[in-house]
Amino acid sequence: MSASSHLADFCKVVLRDVYGELAATILGVLFDYGRQTASQIAKRTKIPLVVCQRALVSLLQNRFLLYWSDEGSRHVYYSANWLQVYSVIWSGPILTVVNDKYGDDMYAEVVKNVLVYGNMKATDYFDAYPEDDSPRVKQIVVELLSKRILSNVTDHDFHPREDIYNKFFNAHKLKMRTENRSEAAKITAATNDANEELRQLQEDTDNLSKSKVLISKEKGSAIARQARLGEAVIVREVGPEVVLGVNYDKFLVVTRNQMLVDLANDRIGPVTAQVYKVVLDIYEDKIFRCSQEIPDDDKFKVSTREILSRLGPEVDVSGAASAAAAKRKKPGQSNGSAAKRRRTDSGYNTIDAEEEEDDDSDMDAALDRYDDDNMSDDMSEANGSKMHNPRDVDVHLKLLANSPLKFLTSAGGQGWHVPFAELIENAKRTAYDEIIGQKFGKIASRLLRLVREKGKMDEKSLSSTALVKDKDMQSYLSALQMFGGLLLQEIPRSNDRAPGRTYFLWYHKPKTAYSHLLQDLYQSMRFIYVRLIAEREKHSILRAKLSREDVKGQEEKYLSLSEKKEWMEMKKQEEKLLVQLVRMDSLVRLFRDY
């Protein structure tokens, strides 16, 4: 997927700020003209070919470029890897995630070094450390690789995915040239085979043992093992050919989970959000990327027992569960015998409250079995279950499942499943409605929800349904159309397409609306980043003084009163701009990456 003009402009600004004018110039040519050879880049940029080739090597080291050369061709074509360039602004959040997970500065230092150099051979990195520190660093790298925070950079990571697919497709199609099948059938078969080969390539990369990223070795005394005096210890070591790189896919999985936890906290409550965080932490160990399909099978089902084993004692699920249960029971309804009405396709049917509770009977039965089979006193003390009753946890799980956003789905009493595809779509819709409400007001948000619910509506029916005057309606609809939230379809009733004999129907297309929003976000992020650079240049003299080794940590001693005041204003302004940039980036990840 190529970068849009607004995304390309933002990437150029980031490159110019972090890596200099030369990198921004070369990548700018690739953004503007597409794939080019080294000589074509040198000709367009008027940079000497030798200088250009050296810069290309440095850019390839950071994977800002992808290259491809057809078999038998002497030309190497380079293309811009916009996602890798954009991910430069994720460096700070990635280090924050690593610190939060491990609380050890050494882990963050390893990840920071890999971020700075783009990628490096593991053996060379280990040799750079003193002999006393090397075993500790090796252990950290093994753990970061096993958690997929670091990954092994392979040859296909430097090639465009489209070219890899085309290579597989052409090879499979060439094998079918003598088969007695139609051309359409050959293309379909070759497409399926190429996609399967791509999937298998990714699966082999994800398998750390098969790809020899981590090698299991037996460690211990051979004499002791033969004498049965001791047991061998299986340890894992980094493979000799492993090239370390930061796995941005795993970072997106972690930030997606945190976004969903924050959403559950806003919609339901903090305690339920903590229970949901445990569920997502279990998924985090099994998911390698946000685009990974999550099948509804036993591997991706989370049981109440797993949740209880990971739920910390500091989470008070019992108090929140009792409050939620009290809310469900209406005043004057002691045993649930009051009559209720349920809407069906044929109308409204009167039912008893006891009948309504039948929907939860499967889960209640499963919890009974859990209590009988697993809640012995010894086991309760071992996993902390005495502090967390499974029925209390189940109240929060049901709140998550019954939410309109569908945080969870029940697997019929056999566990819980997170429907990521449906949940993310609901989260996008919710976030988009909030943006519309903040930008254009509540009436515009109401109009958007009505059009989305009904499909397509003309202005007259929309006005009567939303209870908005016609003269006010036009301004809101025009604003939503300019923003990309609503589209207009014309249905003429005559060949002359006269306006008086034409239906004008408003409708909402989520994919188009989100694409327009992303372009606005890229443009706004570029403006903020340019402003941030300008603010830094404005205080360049003070920043130079603050960077001196003798001033660092002793600003109160070496700065004058005017410099201290300027320093505080500078920090306040930078913090304000960075917060805006981070918020916009979180929206970009939601609408583009999750």
Side-chain angles (χ1 to χ4, degrees), residues 338-407:
K340 295 184 179 181
R341 302 181 74 202
R342 173 181 292 168
R343 185 175 182 177
T344 63
D345 295 336
S346 58
Y348 284 90
N349 295 332
T350 302
I351 60 169
D352 292 334
E354 294 178 358
E355 181 182 342
E356 187 186 51
E357 293 177 357
D358 289 343
D359 296 338
D360 298 333
S361 59
D362 292 339
M363 182 53 63
D364 292 339
L367 287 170
D368 289 338
R369 290 195 300 272
Y370 182 91
D371 291 341
D372 296 338
D373 298 339
N374 302 307
M375 296 300 291
S376 63
D377 290 338
D378 294 339
M379 183 177 177
S380 299
E381 293 178 2
N383 62 15
S385 299
K386 278 194 172 182
M387 290 180 286
H388 299 307
N389 190 298
R391 292 187 179 278
D392 294 336
V393 175
D394 180 57
V395 171
H396 297 282
L397 297 175
K398 287 180 179 178
L399 287 173
L400 292 165
N402 293 331
S403 170
L405 296 179
K406 292 294 181 185
F407 290 102

Side-chain angles (χ1 to χ4, degrees), residues 319-565:
S322 300
K327 285 184 179 180
R328 293 180 61 186
K329 185 178 290 187
K330 295 183 178 180
Q333 182 181 331
S334 57
N335 297 321
S337 59
K340 295 184 179 181
R341 302 181 74 202
R342 173 181 292 168
R343 185 175 182 177
T344 63
D345 295 336
S346 58
Y348 284 90
N349 295 332
T350 302
I351 60 169
D352 292 334
E354 294 178 358
E355 181 182 342
E356 187 186 51
E357 293 177 357
D358 289 343
D359 296 338
D360 298 333
S361 59
D362 292 339
M363 182 53 63
D364 292 339
L367 287 170
D368 289 338
R369 290 195 300 272
Y370 182 91
D371 291 341
D372 296 338
D373 298 339
N374 302 307
M375 296 300 291
S376 63
D377 290 338
D378 294 339
M379 183 177 177
S380 299
E381 293 178 2
N383 62 15
S385 299
K386 278 194 172 182
M387 290 180 286
H388 299 307
N389 190 298
R391 292 187 179 278
D392 294 336
V393 175
D394 180 57
V395 171
H396 297 282
L397 297 175
K398 287 180 179 178
L399 287 173
L400 292 165
N402 293 331
S403 170
L405 296 179
K406 292 294 181 185
F407 290 102
L408 286 178
T409 56
S410 174
Q414 299 177 358
W416 302 90
H417 184 263
V418 180
F420 282 104
E422 181 183 2
L423 176 56
I424 292 301
E425 284 303 315
N426 293 335
K428 288 180 181 178
R429 184 175 64 250
T430 302
Y432 192 81
D433 288 348
E434 290 178 357
I435 292 172
I436 293 296
Q438 293 171 2
K439 193 174 183 66
F440 303 109
K442 294 182 179 179
I443 296 178
S445 182
R446 188 199 316 163
L447 293 174
L448 177 63
R449 287 196 299 270
L450 278 172
V451 173
R452 183 193 292 128
E453 180 183 349
K454 300 297 182 182
K456 292 182 180 180
M457 298 182 71
D458 61 4
E459 194 170 319
K460 183 178 180 180
S461 60
L462 187 57
S463 176
S464 60
T465 306
L467 302 177
V468 180
K469 295 179 181 179
D470 292 339
K471 61 179 181 180
D472 299 330
M473 177 78 67
Q474 284 289 341
S475 61
Y476 287 113
L477 294 178
S478 299
L480 288 172
Q481 185 183 24
M482 290 292 293
F483 191 67
L486 289 182
L487 301 175
L488 188 62
Q489 180 181 4
E490 300 180 14
I491 304 178
R493 290 184 291 174
S494 59
N495 293 332
D496 60 357
R497 305 181 71 90
R501 297 181 57 82
T502 302
Y503 292 112
F504 295 93
L505 301 179
W506 294 95
Y507 67 100
H508 172 71
K509 194 174 182 180
K511 188 175 181 180
T512 303
Y514 300 158
S515 177
H516 279 281
L517 175 61
L518 279 174
Q519 302 313 312
D520 289 343
L521 288 171
Y522 293 144
Q523 193 173 23
S524 299
M525 291 173 71
R526 175 180 173 272
F527 291 150
I528 292 174
Y529 207 103
V530 170
R531 175 72 184 279
L532 184 62
I533 295 173
E535 287 291 329
R536 290 172 179 172
E537 292 176 352
K538 181 180 176 181
H539 305 283
S540 57
I541 298 177
L542 177 61
R543 292 177 64 86
K545 184 174 182 178
L546 291 171
S547 63
R548 284 165 39 187
E549 292 296 330
D550 59 326
V551 178
K552 287 182 180 178
Q554 301 186 62
E555 291 84 1
E556 294 292 333
K557 179 180 179 181
Y558 290 103
L559 294 183
S560 63
L561 290 177
S562 60
E563 287 175 333
K564 290 178 183 178
K565 183 179 179 181

Side-chain angles (χ1 to χ4, degrees), residues 149-176:
I149 295 174
L150 295 181
S151 63
N152 179 31
V153 180
T154 58
D155 290 340
H156 64 263
D157 291 320
F158 294 91
H159 300 319
R161 188 176 179 85
E162 296 82 1
D163 290 314
I164 298 175
Y165 168 82
N166 290 333
K167 179 182 178 181
F168 292 158
F169 175 83
N170 293 331
H172 288 294
K173 195 165 182 289
L174 186 63
K175 293 178 183 178
M176 304 176 189

